[in-house]
Amino acid sequence: MTRITTAYAFSSSVENLQQRQAELVRAQEQMTSGKRVLKASDDPTAAARAERARAMEQRADATTRAIDASRNSMTLTESALSDAGELVQQARELIVAAGNASYSDAERADTANQIAAIRKQLLAVANRGDGTGGYVFSGQGSSQAPFIDQPGGVGYTGSGGATQVASDEQLPLTLDGNETWLAAPTGNGVFTTSSNSASAWIDAGRVTSPAAITGSAYQIQFTVANGATTYSVIKDGSTAVLSDQPYTSGQAIQVDGMALSVSGTPGQGDSFDIQPSTPSASIFSVLDKVVAELKTPSRSAAQTTQTVQSGLRDIDSVANHLQSTRSMTGELLKRIDSVQGRVDDLKLYGKTTESNAEDLDMAQAISDFSNKQTGYSAALQTYASMQKLSLFNYING
């Protein structure tokens, strides 16, 4: 038989009262914070799961900042390429106008000045800043404008390549300016034609059989004898591919998978060169060449026609190259949006995991708080009743 002393009864009641009070306070703290797990000791497993989820969210936030930087940079790049495309189109229209047979030397020189002004605007676009002290087309970074106008033409002073964001996602911050502005394919993309004639011109040519393309250099040489004009095609400076062929203005000359048309009246010793295309065409060098030729006075109609045809060929090549780069930038922006979606999903997953691990079910918490409040009130009443059960109260009663 266990003896329960008055002191033990009082001590047990006080201990029970304090425990219920602590539970009530903890329930109040949970309801106030909205968290079921306030410290790791409340639920070590849930606390660890929530901590991992928070780390996931922090990584997602860092990636989001990197994505925003890449998106801003590529948006600026796309805008610059759009502006460049419009300027190139304006220059093309002026080159077409310069081919007007009624133009005088002064009018062609005026057209050349307009093209030169467009060229300056294009240089400003190529050197456009990114708003943070850098440059859109600086490649791997440069503290100075990446393009410099020098006596030999526009040169690239930036660092080759491209800069990417510092995150797990491979997203660009810059583009290679040299590749964008100075590396379009020359000619028609397979070969390029040029002329030394003052009375005839050659078109851009076309490929008739890709498998037959040799990549060699050719020269079409003209001979005028007894009123008859013939031509020969020499390969690599020594091998005659065609010899003494009769010439007809505008008729295609076909050789090794290529078709070219020479028009006009070639003179004795006139020649037309065919060189393999290289990725070295610059919008600036193309316009510089056109401007220089249009400003040259007393040129023949054939020479002007050659300038216009070659200029249109080259500017179209550069325009297509810029458009391809712009399309690539658009694809990058699309990819950035896709990455952003994945990161948002990852962050949402982290928040959901964190919430499931430590957040409070408010409805259940209110019910539990009500029960604890009732229990605490009952404990208070019990304690008050026990105070009246002492031996002294009994004797005094």
Side-chain angles (χ1 to χ4, degrees):
M1 184 175 183
T2 302
R3 295 180 59 191
I4 300 178
T5 63
T6 301
Y8 176 79
F10 273 97
S11 175
S12 177
S13 296
V14 170
E15 184 178 345
N16 182 52
L17 188 62
Q18 290 175 336
Q19 181 179 350
R20 289 182 178 275
Q21 187 178 32
E23 291 176 354
L24 188 62
V25 169
R26 184 172 180 277
Q28 287 177 319
E29 290 176 348
Q30 288 179 330
M31 291 178 64
T32 302
S33 65
K35 299 290 184 181
R36 181 181 64 86
V37 180
L38 297 174
K39 53 185 181 294
S41 59
D42 292 340
D43 188 337
T45 301
R49 191 162 63 250
E51 189 61 33
R52 287 194 295 270
R54 279 191 288 271
M56 184 186 301
E57 293 172 45
Q58 290 171 357
R59 288 195 298 271
D61 288 338
T63 302
T64 296
R65 289 192 292 271
I67 289 172
D68 289 342
S70 181
R71 180 186 289 109
N72 291 339
S73 178
M74 289 302 101
T75 299
L76 287 172
T77 301
E78 196 278 335
S79 176
L81 291 172
S82 174
D83 293 344
E86 293 178 3
L87 289 170
V88 169
Q89 181 58 33
Q90 293 175 26
R92 190 184 194 283
E93 292 171 0
L94 288 170
I95 293 174
V96 171
N100 192 323
S102 65
Y103 270 23
S104 64
D105 286 347
E107 288 173 313
R108 288 197 176 90
D110 181 64
T111 301
N113 289 332
Q114 295 179 58
I115 295 174
I118 290 175
R119 187 247 198 210
K120 290 183 180 179
Q121 294 180 64
L122 283 166
L123 182 59
V125 172
N127 281 328
R128 182 169 293 179
D130 61 6
T132 61
Y135 296 88
V136 173
F137 298 102
S138 62
Q140 296 187 35
S142 174
S143 59
Q144 298 178 341
F147 294 93
I148 182 172
D149 204 355
Q150 49 197 6
V154 172
Y156 185 65
T157 61
S159 300
T163 303
Q164 295 184 332
V165 297
S167 76
D168 295 337
E169 299 289 346
Q170 299 298 307
L171 299 175
L173 281 173
T174 61
L175 293 185
D176 188 333
N178 185 74
E179 172 65 26
T180 301
W181 292 90
L182 309 181
T186 57
N188 59 19
V190 177
F191 58 88
T192 182
T193 58
S194 60
S195 166
N196 75 342
S197 175
S199 57
W201 62 93
I202 188 171
D203 67 0
R206 64 186 186 280
V207 175
T208 57
S209 176
I213 297 295
T214 65
S216 296
Y218 298 80
Q219 188 176 67
I220 305 173
Q221 299 175 348
F222 282 84
T223 302
V224 180
N226 301 321
T229 303
T230 60
Y231 67 87
S232 299
V233 178
I234 309 301
K235 177 181 177 181
D236 292 330
S238 59
T239 304
V241 180
L242 297 173
S243 299
D244 299 326
Q245 300 295 308
Y247 167 71
T248 301
S249 178
Q251 188 175 74
I253 299 173
Q254 299 194 50
V255 56
D256 291 346
M258 301 179 292
L260 314 100
S261 296
V262 175
S263 302
T265 308
Q268 172 65 30
D270 283 356
S271 63
F272 299 84
D273 292 324
I274 306 167
Q275 298 289 337
S277 176
T278 60
S280 59
S282 155
I283 180 60
F284 307 108
S285 62
V286 168
L287 296 182
D288 285 344
K289 183 173 183 290
V290 171
V291 167
E293 292 179 358
L294 291 180
K295 285 186 175 182
T296 302
S298 303
R299 298 180 80 231
S300 67
Q303 289 174 316
T304 299
T305 300
Q306 187 67 72
T307 294
V308 171
Q309 289 207 2
S310 297
L312 291 176
R313 174 200 65 194
D314 294 340
I315 204 167
D316 285 345
S317 176
V318 171
N320 289 337
H321 186 69
L322 288 174
Q323 182 58 42
S324 295
T325 305
R326 186 183 177 189
S327 297
M328 181 191 71
T329 305
E331 288 297 322
L332 287 172
L333 286 169
K334 183 178 179 181
R335 180 181 164 213
I336 288 170
D337 289 339
S338 177
V339 171
Q340 182 68 74
R342 293 200 304 272
V343 172
D344 288 344
D345 290 343
L346 184 64
K347 186 173 181 179
L348 178 60
Y349 173 77
K351 285 186 174 295
T352 301
T353 301
E354 180 185 3
S355 176
N356 291 340
E358 65 180 16
D359 282 2
L360 190 67
D361 182 343
M362 194 58 69
Q364 182 65 43
I366 292 173
S367 176
D368 292 343
F369 180 77
S370 179
N371 291 335
K372 287 181 173 60
Q373 197 171 33
T374 301
Y376 181 62
S377 297
L380 282 174
Q381 293 174 2
T382 300
Y383 180 71
S385 298
M386 286 189 63
Q387 284 184 320
K388 300 177 181 178
L389 297 179
S390 71
L391 178 63
F392 296 104
N393 286 339
Y394 176 77
I395 295 172
N396 292 334

